Amino acid sequence: MNRTIAAPKGVPEYLPPASAAFIAVREALSRPARHSGYGYIETPIFEETALFARGVGESTDVVSKEMYSFTDRGGRSLTLRPEFTAGIVRAVIEHGLDRGQLPVKLWTQGPCFRYERPQAGRYRQLQQVNVEAIGGDDPALDAEVVWLAVAGYRGLGLTGWRLDLTSLGDRSCRPAYRELLQQFLRKLDLDEETRRRVEINPLRVLDDKRPEVAGQLVDAPLMPDHLCAGCERHFDAVREHLTDLGVSWSDAPRLVRGLDYYTRTTFEFVHAGLGAQSGIGGGGRYDGLMADLGGQPLSGIGFGLGVDRALLALEAEERVVVSGGRVSVYVVPLGEEARRRALVVATELRRAGVAADLAFGGKGLKGAMKAADRSGAVCAVILGERDIAEGVAQCKDLQSGTQRAVPLVDLVRTLKETLES
Ligand code: HAM
């Protein structure tokens, strides 16, 4: 016998009926952007490897350890996207979207790929809803973008999260801060690898949760205390706008993101019910990325929300996002003639906008009624040979169990009325 083949390790799948919740979550997380002037963009799942190396940063774990890279038959090095931002910025530059009205406001959704060690909430294929606004320095834009994410979570009814917010400075104040932080870190008692990190990416060290390291970081200099006047003003204005919008946040001066492009406003959504993988979404400004990728020196801000993690957060809060069945009506034919008729009846219902399914393969009454119950339908339409001869169908309310004969010519209209009442 052939061996069975399983899905690759660390890849979640969403199967019916649970997949309905996956779609509902994606819808809810993207709704605020769709209602705020953001246009949909679909970029390729794979890109030239150099895009991520340059865009996301060689020193990040995402690029140095987690990329799914391969050489295609033409000898090109390609990589499955580990995130959306670099690809979207590339597309904006390539297609000149930044030559029109600014900011360019875009949203997208889909899978990203990271070769991480799989565990609960950490997958190798992860799903995001992603938003970018490119070509705008206005702090009101930062607040709009943060609000879009907040509104997405609120739309799902999620409550157990908090917004961590900070500013990472810009090219005029971060280098001096980085130097200061390195001077502080070089004096500490750190292992070899962490010492190396101090030289390459000192901000990441601030995020070290190991007690022997974290204990030494209590007095570390923090970026928000070393912002230049421009960054300080920008950050103050963002916070004022967020207050106007009724968004509360926690100051997170040690917040470090896993991608290198961030500047100024940076944020993360953290859910208390998820254990180690508590980041349900995150984002920030990336004011140097357009130029780094060969475009005009325009600023940008955006976020990625983890759809898989939002689903886990809903589960942790015991919230149901979808109720109701897959269909409203289930058609049950009894006999040869009825089977032909059943497909026509179901199709007429579907054409009229009523979600309908039917029993295939000559199921008996018992089996077909079981299938009707499982479908979540409100009503079963039972077609018997004698009923058809008399020009009627039996409509059974699957909750109350009551049944009545309805003339076939009136069936679609009657069912629509019943379902809408
Ligand atoms: P990120 O923080 O790397 O940001 O990912 C965004 C979200 O994707 C995370 O908060 C998390 O919910 C989810 N996520 C990331 N990795 C995994 C994983 N292995 N398994 C499950 N979920 C995961 C970005 O990707 C940036 N591109 C966001 C952005 C857009 N910044 C500016 N614009």
Short mmCIF file of all heavy atoms in Angstrom, two decimals, residues 10 12 56 62 66 82-86 112-117 119-133 145 153 257-259 261-262 267-269 277-286 300-310 312, ligand 1:
data_model
loop_
_atom_site.label_atom_id
_atom_site.label_comp_id
_atom_site.label_asym_id
_atom_site.label_seq_id
_atom_site.Cartn_x
_atom_site.Cartn_y
_atom_site.Cartn_z
N GLY A 10 4.27 22.15 10.61
CA GLY A 10 4.09 23.54 11.04
C GLY A 10 3.15 24.36 10.18
O GLY A 10 3.20 25.59 10.22
N PRO A 12 -0.71 25.17 9.34
CA PRO A 12 -2.11 24.93 9.75
C PRO A 12 -3.02 24.86 8.52
O PRO A 12 -2.74 25.50 7.51
CB PRO A 12 -2.44 26.15 10.59
CG PRO A 12 -1.57 27.23 10.08
CD PRO A 12 -0.33 26.58 9.50
N VAL A 56 14.05 43.75 4.50
CA VAL A 56 13.76 43.35 5.88
C VAL A 56 15.02 43.43 6.74
O VAL A 56 14.94 43.72 7.94
CB VAL A 56 13.15 41.92 5.89
CG1 VAL A 56 12.97 41.41 7.31
CG2 VAL A 56 11.83 41.90 5.14
N VAL A 62 14.42 36.65 10.64
CA VAL A 62 13.54 36.35 9.50
C VAL A 62 14.37 36.11 8.24
O VAL A 62 14.13 35.16 7.50
CB VAL A 62 12.51 37.49 9.30
CG1 VAL A 62 11.78 37.36 7.97
CG2 VAL A 62 11.51 37.53 10.45
N GLU A 66 15.21 32.17 8.59
CA GLU A 66 13.86 31.64 8.41
C GLU A 66 13.32 31.67 6.99
O GLU A 66 12.16 31.36 6.76
CB GLU A 66 12.90 32.42 9.33
CG GLU A 66 13.23 32.26 10.80
CD GLU A 66 12.44 33.17 11.71
OE1 GLU A 66 11.59 33.94 11.21
OE2 GLU A 66 12.68 33.11 12.93
N PRO A 82 8.31 36.25 3.44
CA PRO A 82 8.16 36.05 4.88
C PRO A 82 7.24 37.10 5.48
O PRO A 82 6.83 36.98 6.63
CB PRO A 82 9.59 36.21 5.42
CG PRO A 82 10.29 37.07 4.42
CD PRO A 82 9.62 36.87 3.09
N GLU A 83 6.94 38.14 4.70
CA GLU A 83 6.07 39.24 5.14
C GLU A 83 5.68 40.02 3.89
O GLU A 83 6.19 39.75 2.80
CB GLU A 83 6.80 40.14 6.15
CG GLU A 83 8.09 40.73 5.63
CD GLU A 83 7.98 42.20 5.31
OE1 GLU A 83 7.51 42.94 6.16
OE2 GLU A 83 8.36 42.60 4.18
N PHE A 84 4.77 40.98 4.05
CA PHE A 84 4.22 41.68 2.88
C PHE A 84 4.91 42.99 2.54
O PHE A 84 4.89 43.42 1.38
CB PHE A 84 2.75 42.01 3.12
CG PHE A 84 1.82 40.84 2.91
CD1 PHE A 84 1.20 40.23 3.98
CD2 PHE A 84 1.56 40.37 1.63
CE1 PHE A 84 0.34 39.17 3.79
CE2 PHE A 84 0.69 39.31 1.42
CZ PHE A 84 0.08 38.70 2.52
N THR A 85 5.44 43.70 3.54
CA THR A 85 5.81 45.11 3.33
C THR A 85 6.83 45.31 2.20
O THR A 85 6.63 46.17 1.34
CB THR A 85 6.35 45.71 4.65
OG1 THR A 85 5.44 45.34 5.69
CG2 THR A 85 6.45 47.22 4.58
N ALA A 86 7.90 44.49 2.21
CA ALA A 86 8.94 44.68 1.19
C ALA A 86 8.36 44.50 -0.22
O ALA A 86 8.66 45.30 -1.13
CB ALA A 86 10.10 43.71 1.43
N CYS A 112 2.16 34.01 4.45
CA CYS A 112 3.59 34.32 4.45
C CYS A 112 4.30 33.08 4.99
O CYS A 112 3.67 32.24 5.63
CB CYS A 112 3.90 35.52 5.35
SG CYS A 112 3.08 37.03 4.82
N PHE A 113 5.62 33.00 4.77
CA PHE A 113 6.32 31.76 5.09
C PHE A 113 7.59 32.04 5.88
O PHE A 113 8.41 32.88 5.46
CB PHE A 113 6.68 31.03 3.79
CG PHE A 113 5.45 30.79 2.93
CD1 PHE A 113 5.01 31.79 2.06
CD2 PHE A 113 4.73 29.62 3.04
CE1 PHE A 113 3.86 31.59 1.29
CE2 PHE A 113 3.59 29.41 2.27
CZ PHE A 113 3.15 30.41 1.41
N ARG A 114 7.71 31.39 7.02
CA ARG A 114 8.93 31.56 7.84
C ARG A 114 9.32 30.20 8.39
O ARG A 114 8.48 29.51 8.99
CB ARG A 114 8.66 32.53 9.01
CG ARG A 114 8.29 33.93 8.54
CD ARG A 114 8.07 34.89 9.69
NE ARG A 114 7.54 36.15 9.18
CZ ARG A 114 7.21 37.19 9.92
NH1 ARG A 114 7.38 37.14 11.24
NH2 ARG A 114 6.74 38.29 9.38
N TYR A 115 10.58 29.84 8.22
CA TYR A 115 11.04 28.54 8.73
C TYR A 115 11.33 28.68 10.22
O TYR A 115 12.47 28.80 10.64
CB TYR A 115 12.27 28.06 7.95
CG TYR A 115 12.62 26.63 8.23
CD1 TYR A 115 11.92 25.60 7.62
CD2 TYR A 115 13.61 26.31 9.14
CE1 TYR A 115 12.21 24.28 7.90
CE2 TYR A 115 13.91 24.99 9.44
CZ TYR A 115 13.20 23.98 8.81
OH TYR A 115 13.49 22.67 9.09
N GLU A 116 10.26 28.71 11.02
CA GLU A 116 10.41 28.85 12.47
C GLU A 116 10.21 27.49 13.10
O GLU A 116 9.70 26.57 12.47
CB GLU A 116 9.35 29.81 13.01
CG GLU A 116 9.49 31.21 12.44
CD GLU A 116 8.82 32.25 13.33
OE1 GLU A 116 9.38 32.53 14.40
OE2 GLU A 116 7.77 32.77 12.94
N ARG A 117 10.58 27.38 14.39
CA ARG A 117 10.31 26.13 15.10
C ARG A 117 8.83 26.11 15.44
O ARG A 117 8.35 26.94 16.20
CB ARG A 117 11.17 26.05 16.37
CG ARG A 117 11.39 24.64 16.84
CD ARG A 117 12.68 24.50 17.63
NE ARG A 117 12.90 25.64 18.54
CZ ARG A 117 12.32 25.75 19.73
NH1 ARG A 117 11.50 24.82 20.17
NH2 ARG A 117 12.57 26.80 20.49
N GLN A 119 5.24 25.67 16.94
CA GLN A 119 4.60 25.44 18.24
C GLN A 119 3.23 26.10 18.19
O GLN A 119 2.88 26.68 17.16
CB GLN A 119 5.44 26.02 19.38
CG GLN A 119 5.85 27.47 19.17
CD GLN A 119 6.62 28.03 20.35
OE1 GLN A 119 6.03 28.48 21.30
NE2 GLN A 119 7.94 27.99 20.27
N ALA A 120 2.48 26.00 19.30
CA ALA A 120 1.13 26.58 19.28
C ALA A 120 1.21 28.05 18.89
O ALA A 120 1.93 28.83 19.52
CB ALA A 120 0.50 26.44 20.66
N GLY A 121 0.53 28.43 17.82
CA GLY A 121 0.50 29.84 17.41
C GLY A 121 1.71 30.29 16.62
O GLY A 121 1.81 31.45 16.25
N ARG A 122 2.68 29.39 16.40
CA ARG A 122 3.83 29.78 15.58
C ARG A 122 3.95 28.77 14.43
O ARG A 122 4.24 27.59 14.65
CB ARG A 122 5.11 29.77 16.41
CG ARG A 122 6.24 30.47 15.66
CD ARG A 122 7.56 29.98 16.10
NE ARG A 122 8.10 30.73 17.23
CZ ARG A 122 9.10 30.29 17.96
NH1 ARG A 122 9.64 29.12 17.73
NH2 ARG A 122 9.55 31.03 18.97
N TYR A 123 3.69 29.26 13.25
CA TYR A 123 3.58 28.37 12.10
C TYR A 123 4.60 28.72 11.03
O TYR A 123 5.15 29.82 11.01
CB TYR A 123 2.17 28.45 11.50
CG TYR A 123 1.08 28.21 12.51
CD1 TYR A 123 0.09 29.16 12.74
CD2 TYR A 123 1.06 27.04 13.27
CE1 TYR A 123 -0.91 28.93 13.67
CE2 TYR A 123 0.08 26.81 14.21
CZ TYR A 123 -0.91 27.76 14.41
OH TYR A 123 -1.88 27.56 15.34
N ARG A 124 4.80 27.76 10.11
CA ARG A 124 5.71 28.03 8.98
C ARG A 124 4.97 28.66 7.82
O ARG A 124 5.59 29.30 6.98
CB ARG A 124 6.40 26.72 8.59
CG ARG A 124 7.40 26.33 9.66
CD ARG A 124 8.17 25.08 9.33
NE ARG A 124 9.18 24.89 10.34
CZ ARG A 124 9.91 23.79 10.48
NH1 ARG A 124 9.73 22.78 9.65
NH2 ARG A 124 10.81 23.71 11.43
N GLN A 125 3.68 28.42 7.76
CA GLN A 125 2.85 29.21 6.84
C GLN A 125 1.88 29.97 7.74
O GLN A 125 1.08 29.36 8.45
CB GLN A 125 2.09 28.32 5.87
CG GLN A 125 1.14 29.13 5.00
CD GLN A 125 0.49 28.33 3.89
OE1 GLN A 125 1.16 27.63 3.15
NE2 GLN A 125 -0.81 28.43 3.77
N LEU A 126 1.99 31.29 7.71
CA LEU A 126 1.16 32.10 8.59
C LEU A 126 0.32 33.04 7.74
O LEU A 126 0.73 33.44 6.66
CB LEU A 126 2.04 32.89 9.55
CG LEU A 126 3.08 33.78 8.88
CD1 LEU A 126 2.86 35.23 9.23
CD2 LEU A 126 4.47 33.33 9.32
N GLN A 127 -0.84 33.37 8.24
CA GLN A 127 -1.76 34.20 7.46
C GLN A 127 -1.83 35.58 8.07
O GLN A 127 -1.98 35.73 9.29
CB GLN A 127 -3.16 33.57 7.50
CG GLN A 127 -3.23 32.17 6.93
CD GLN A 127 -3.33 32.15 5.42
OE1 GLN A 127 -3.60 33.17 4.78
NE2 GLN A 127 -3.13 30.98 4.83
N GLN A 128 -1.73 36.60 7.21
CA GLN A 128 -1.82 37.98 7.71
C GLN A 128 -2.86 38.78 6.94
O GLN A 128 -3.13 38.51 5.77
CB GLN A 128 -0.49 38.72 7.53
CG GLN A 128 0.61 38.33 8.50
CD GLN A 128 1.84 39.23 8.35
OE1 GLN A 128 1.86 40.19 7.60
NE2 GLN A 128 2.88 38.90 9.10
N VAL A 129 -3.42 39.77 7.64
CA VAL A 129 -4.10 40.88 6.98
C VAL A 129 -3.13 42.05 7.13
O VAL A 129 -2.65 42.31 8.24
CB VAL A 129 -5.45 41.21 7.65
CG1 VAL A 129 -5.95 42.59 7.23
CG2 VAL A 129 -6.48 40.15 7.30
N ASN A 130 -2.79 42.69 6.02
CA ASN A 130 -1.71 43.67 6.05
C ASN A 130 -2.15 45.00 5.42
O ASN A 130 -2.84 45.00 4.40
CB ASN A 130 -0.53 43.09 5.25
CG ASN A 130 0.70 43.95 5.31
OD1 ASN A 130 1.58 43.71 6.14
ND2 ASN A 130 0.80 44.96 4.45
N VAL A 131 -1.74 46.08 6.03
CA VAL A 131 -2.11 47.42 5.56
C VAL A 131 -0.85 48.26 5.42
O VAL A 131 0.06 48.15 6.26
CB VAL A 131 -3.07 48.07 6.60
CG1 VAL A 131 -3.07 49.57 6.50
CG2 VAL A 131 -4.49 47.51 6.43
N GLU A 132 -0.76 49.07 4.36
CA GLU A 132 0.36 50.01 4.22
C GLU A 132 -0.17 51.36 3.73
O GLU A 132 -1.06 51.39 2.88
CB GLU A 132 1.41 49.52 3.20
CG GLU A 132 1.88 48.08 3.33
CD GLU A 132 2.71 47.80 4.57
OE1 GLU A 132 3.09 48.75 5.29
OE2 GLU A 132 2.98 46.62 4.83
N ALA A 133 0.39 52.44 4.27
CA ALA A 133 0.09 53.80 3.78
C ALA A 133 1.44 54.45 3.47
O ALA A 133 2.25 54.68 4.38
CB ALA A 133 -0.66 54.60 4.83
N VAL A 145 -3.76 54.48 10.95
CA VAL A 145 -3.32 53.10 10.74
C VAL A 145 -3.47 52.28 12.03
O VAL A 145 -3.99 51.16 12.01
CB VAL A 145 -1.87 53.08 10.20
CG1 VAL A 145 -1.26 51.70 10.28
CG2 VAL A 145 -1.84 53.59 8.76
N TYR A 153 -9.84 44.46 15.68
CA TYR A 153 -9.98 43.61 16.87
C TYR A 153 -11.31 43.87 17.58
O TYR A 153 -11.98 42.95 18.04
CB TYR A 153 -8.81 43.83 17.84
CG TYR A 153 -7.50 43.34 17.28
CD1 TYR A 153 -6.35 44.12 17.33
CD2 TYR A 153 -7.40 42.08 16.69
CE1 TYR A 153 -5.14 43.67 16.80
CE2 TYR A 153 -6.21 41.62 16.15
CZ TYR A 153 -5.09 42.42 16.22
OH TYR A 153 -3.90 41.97 15.69
N ARG A 257 11.07 45.16 17.36
CA ARG A 257 10.40 44.37 16.35
C ARG A 257 11.43 43.49 15.64
O ARG A 257 12.61 43.78 15.63
CB ARG A 257 9.69 45.28 15.35
CG ARG A 257 8.75 46.26 16.01
CD ARG A 257 7.33 45.77 16.10
NE ARG A 257 6.79 45.51 14.79
CZ ARG A 257 6.20 44.35 14.44
NH1 ARG A 257 6.11 43.37 15.29
NH2 ARG A 257 5.72 44.18 13.23
N GLY A 258 10.95 42.40 15.05
CA GLY A 258 11.86 41.44 14.42
C GLY A 258 12.31 41.83 13.01
O GLY A 258 13.01 41.07 12.36
N LEU A 259 11.92 43.03 12.54
CA LEU A 259 12.27 43.45 11.18
C LEU A 259 13.01 44.77 11.29
O LEU A 259 12.70 45.58 12.16
CB LEU A 259 11.01 43.59 10.33
CG LEU A 259 10.01 42.41 10.46
CD1 LEU A 259 8.63 42.79 9.98
CD2 LEU A 259 10.52 41.20 9.71
N TYR A 261 13.35 47.53 9.31
CA TYR A 261 13.04 48.79 8.64
C TYR A 261 12.35 49.84 9.49
O TYR A 261 12.12 50.95 9.03
CB TYR A 261 12.23 48.55 7.36
CG TYR A 261 11.07 47.57 7.43
CD1 TYR A 261 9.98 47.80 8.24
CD2 TYR A 261 11.08 46.41 6.65
CE1 TYR A 261 8.92 46.91 8.27
CE2 TYR A 261 10.01 45.52 6.68
CZ TYR A 261 8.93 45.77 7.49
OH TYR A 261 7.89 44.88 7.52
N TYR A 262 12.01 49.53 10.73
CA TYR A 262 11.17 50.46 11.49
C TYR A 262 11.86 51.75 11.93
O TYR A 262 13.03 51.75 12.28
CB TYR A 262 10.56 49.76 12.71
CG TYR A 262 9.54 48.73 12.31
CD1 TYR A 262 9.78 47.37 12.46
CD2 TYR A 262 8.33 49.13 11.74
CE1 TYR A 262 8.85 46.43 12.07
CE2 TYR A 262 7.39 48.19 11.34
CZ TYR A 262 7.65 46.85 11.51
OH TYR A 262 6.73 45.93 11.11
N PHE A 267 4.56 49.68 16.92
CA PHE A 267 3.55 49.15 17.84
C PHE A 267 3.36 47.65 17.69
O PHE A 267 3.73 47.06 16.67
CB PHE A 267 2.21 49.87 17.64
CG PHE A 267 1.73 49.87 16.21
CD1 PHE A 267 0.87 48.89 15.74
CD2 PHE A 267 2.14 50.87 15.33
CE1 PHE A 267 0.43 48.89 14.42
CE2 PHE A 267 1.71 50.87 14.00
CZ PHE A 267 0.85 49.89 13.55
N GLU A 268 2.79 47.08 18.73
CA GLU A 268 2.48 45.66 18.71
C GLU A 268 1.21 45.43 19.52
O GLU A 268 0.99 46.11 20.53
CB GLU A 268 3.65 44.89 19.35
CG GLU A 268 3.96 43.61 18.64
CD GLU A 268 5.39 43.14 18.91
OE1 GLU A 268 5.70 42.84 20.07
OE2 GLU A 268 6.17 43.08 17.95
N PHE A 269 0.40 44.49 19.08
CA PHE A 269 -0.79 44.09 19.82
C PHE A 269 -0.48 42.77 20.50
O PHE A 269 -0.07 41.81 19.83
CB PHE A 269 -1.99 43.96 18.88
CG PHE A 269 -2.41 45.27 18.29
CD1 PHE A 269 -1.87 45.72 17.10
CD2 PHE A 269 -3.32 46.07 18.97
CE1 PHE A 269 -2.23 46.95 16.57
CE2 PHE A 269 -3.70 47.30 18.45
CZ PHE A 269 -3.15 47.74 17.25
N GLN A 277 3.43 32.88 22.26
CA GLN A 277 3.24 33.58 20.97
C GLN A 277 2.10 34.59 21.11
O GLN A 277 1.02 34.43 20.56
CB GLN A 277 2.91 32.57 19.86
CG GLN A 277 3.94 31.47 19.72
CD GLN A 277 5.35 32.00 19.59
OE1 GLN A 277 5.60 32.92 18.82
NE2 GLN A 277 6.27 31.44 20.35
N SER A 278 2.37 35.63 21.92
CA SER A 278 1.27 36.52 22.30
C SER A 278 1.07 37.68 21.32
O SER A 278 0.10 38.41 21.43
CB SER A 278 1.54 37.07 23.70
OG SER A 278 2.78 37.75 23.70
N GLY A 279 1.97 37.86 20.36
CA GLY A 279 1.85 38.97 19.41
C GLY A 279 0.79 38.67 18.37
O GLY A 279 0.98 37.81 17.51
N ILE A 280 -0.35 39.35 18.46
CA ILE A 280 -1.41 39.06 17.48
C ILE A 280 -1.32 40.00 16.27
O ILE A 280 -1.97 39.78 15.27
CB ILE A 280 -2.83 39.12 18.12
CG1 ILE A 280 -3.07 40.46 18.83
CG2 ILE A 280 -3.03 37.95 19.07
CD1 ILE A 280 -4.51 40.64 19.32
N GLY A 281 -0.50 41.05 16.39
CA GLY A 281 -0.34 41.96 15.26
C GLY A 281 0.74 42.97 15.59
O GLY A 281 1.09 43.16 16.76
N GLY A 282 1.29 43.59 14.55
CA GLY A 282 2.32 44.59 14.82
C GLY A 282 2.66 45.38 13.58
O GLY A 282 2.34 44.96 12.46
N GLY A 283 3.28 46.52 13.79
CA GLY A 283 3.66 47.33 12.65
C GLY A 283 4.37 48.59 13.06
O GLY A 283 4.84 48.71 14.20
N GLY A 284 4.43 49.53 12.13
CA GLY A 284 5.09 50.80 12.43
C GLY A 284 5.50 51.52 11.17
O GLY A 284 5.20 51.08 10.05
N ARG A 285 6.23 52.64 11.39
CA ARG A 285 6.75 53.43 10.28
C ARG A 285 8.01 52.80 9.71
O ARG A 285 8.76 52.13 10.43
CB ARG A 285 7.12 54.84 10.76
CG ARG A 285 5.99 55.75 10.85
CD ARG A 285 6.37 57.22 10.79
NE ARG A 285 5.15 57.90 10.45
CZ ARG A 285 4.74 58.17 9.22
NH1 ARG A 285 5.51 57.90 8.19
NH2 ARG A 285 3.57 58.74 9.02
N TYR A 286 8.23 53.05 8.44
CA TYR A 286 9.48 52.58 7.81
C TYR A 286 9.91 53.67 6.84
O TYR A 286 9.82 53.53 5.63
CB TYR A 286 9.26 51.23 7.10
CG TYR A 286 7.98 51.12 6.33
CD1 TYR A 286 7.89 51.56 5.02
CD2 TYR A 286 6.83 50.60 6.92
CE1 TYR A 286 6.71 51.47 4.30
CE2 TYR A 286 5.63 50.52 6.22
CZ TYR A 286 5.58 50.96 4.91
OH TYR A 286 4.41 50.89 4.21
N GLY A 300 6.55 55.74 5.12
CA GLY A 300 5.43 54.80 5.05
C GLY A 300 5.13 54.26 6.44
O GLY A 300 5.96 54.36 7.36
N ILE A 301 3.93 53.73 6.58
CA ILE A 301 3.56 53.10 7.85
C ILE A 301 2.54 52.00 7.56
O ILE A 301 1.74 52.14 6.62
CB ILE A 301 3.00 54.12 8.87
CG1 ILE A 301 2.58 53.42 10.17
CG2 ILE A 301 1.85 54.95 8.30
CD1 ILE A 301 2.40 54.32 11.36
N GLY A 302 2.59 50.93 8.34
CA GLY A 302 1.64 49.85 8.10
C GLY A 302 1.66 48.84 9.23
O GLY A 302 2.32 49.04 10.25
N PHE A 303 0.90 47.77 9.05
CA PHE A 303 0.89 46.70 10.05
C PHE A 303 0.55 45.37 9.40
O PHE A 303 0.01 45.32 8.29
CB PHE A 303 -0.09 46.99 11.19
CG PHE A 303 -1.53 47.13 10.77
CD1 PHE A 303 -2.27 46.05 10.31
CD2 PHE A 303 -2.16 48.37 10.85
CE1 PHE A 303 -3.60 46.19 9.93
CE2 PHE A 303 -3.49 48.53 10.47
CZ PHE A 303 -4.21 47.42 10.01
N GLY A 304 0.87 44.30 10.12
CA GLY A 304 0.44 42.95 9.74
C GLY A 304 -0.29 42.37 10.94
O GLY A 304 0.22 42.43 12.07
N LEU A 305 -1.49 41.85 10.72
CA LEU A 305 -2.23 41.21 11.80
C LEU A 305 -2.27 39.71 11.54
O LEU A 305 -2.58 39.28 10.43
CB LEU A 305 -3.67 41.75 11.88
CG LEU A 305 -3.82 43.27 11.93
CD1 LEU A 305 -5.30 43.65 12.09
CD2 LEU A 305 -3.00 43.87 13.07
N GLY A 306 -1.90 38.92 12.53
CA GLY A 306 -1.87 37.46 12.37
C GLY A 306 -3.28 36.90 12.46
O GLY A 306 -3.91 36.98 13.51
N VAL A 307 -3.74 36.33 11.34
CA VAL A 307 -5.11 35.78 11.32
C VAL A 307 -5.16 34.51 12.17
O VAL A 307 -6.10 34.31 12.95
CB VAL A 307 -5.56 35.49 9.87
CG1 VAL A 307 -6.95 34.87 9.83
CG2 VAL A 307 -5.52 36.77 9.04
N ASP A 308 -4.13 33.67 12.06
CA ASP A 308 -4.10 32.44 12.86
C ASP A 308 -4.17 32.77 14.35
O ASP A 308 -4.87 32.13 15.12
CB ASP A 308 -2.81 31.64 12.61
CG ASP A 308 -2.45 31.55 11.13
OD1 ASP A 308 -3.00 30.70 10.44
OD2 ASP A 308 -1.62 32.38 10.68
N ARG A 309 -3.41 33.79 14.73
CA ARG A 309 -3.37 34.14 16.17
C ARG A 309 -4.65 34.81 16.62
O ARG A 309 -5.06 34.66 17.76
CB ARG A 309 -2.15 35.00 16.48
CG ARG A 309 -0.89 34.16 16.36
CD ARG A 309 0.31 34.86 16.94
NE ARG A 309 1.51 34.09 16.59
CZ ARG A 309 2.73 34.55 16.66
NH1 ARG A 309 2.94 35.78 17.08
NH2 ARG A 309 3.75 33.79 16.33
N ALA A 310 -5.30 35.57 15.74
CA ALA A 310 -6.58 36.17 16.11
C ALA A 310 -7.60 35.05 16.38
O ALA A 310 -8.41 35.14 17.31
CB ALA A 310 -7.08 37.10 15.01
N LEU A 312 -6.88 32.06 17.47
CA LEU A 312 -6.53 31.47 18.78
C LEU A 312 -6.99 32.38 19.92
O LEU A 312 -7.44 31.90 20.96
CB LEU A 312 -5.01 31.23 18.87
CG LEU A 312 -4.48 30.14 17.95
CD1 LEU A 312 -2.96 30.13 17.96
CD2 LEU A 312 -5.02 28.77 18.36
P1 HAM B 1 5.45 40.78 12.11
O1 HAM B 1 5.36 41.28 13.50
O2 HAM B 1 6.64 40.00 11.75
O3 HAM B 1 5.29 42.04 11.17
O4 HAM B 1 4.17 39.89 11.80
C1 HAM B 1 2.87 40.40 12.00
C2 HAM B 1 2.02 39.39 12.73
O5 HAM B 1 2.00 38.15 12.02
C3 HAM B 1 2.51 39.01 14.11
O6 HAM B 1 2.11 39.95 15.08
C4 HAM B 1 1.84 37.66 14.33
O7 HAM B 1 0.51 37.84 14.76
C5 HAM B 1 1.82 37.08 12.94
N1 HAM B 1 2.92 36.11 12.79
C6 HAM B 1 4.22 36.37 12.54
N2 HAM B 1 4.94 35.22 12.51
C7 HAM B 1 4.05 34.21 12.74
C8 HAM B 1 4.15 32.79 12.81
N3 HAM B 1 5.31 32.14 12.62
N4 HAM B 1 3.02 32.07 13.06
C9 HAM B 1 1.84 32.69 13.24
N5 HAM B 1 1.68 34.02 13.17
C10 HAM B 1 2.76 34.78 12.92
C11 HAM B 1 5.32 41.98 9.81
O8 HAM B 1 5.25 40.98 9.16
C12 HAM B 1 5.37 43.36 9.17
N6 HAM B 1 5.49 43.20 7.72
C13 HAM B 1 4.15 44.17 9.55
C14 HAM B 1 4.18 45.53 8.94
C15 HAM B 1 3.49 45.96 7.86
N7 HAM B 1 4.93 46.55 9.37
C16 HAM B 1 4.73 47.59 8.59
N8 HAM B 1 3.88 47.23 7.66
#
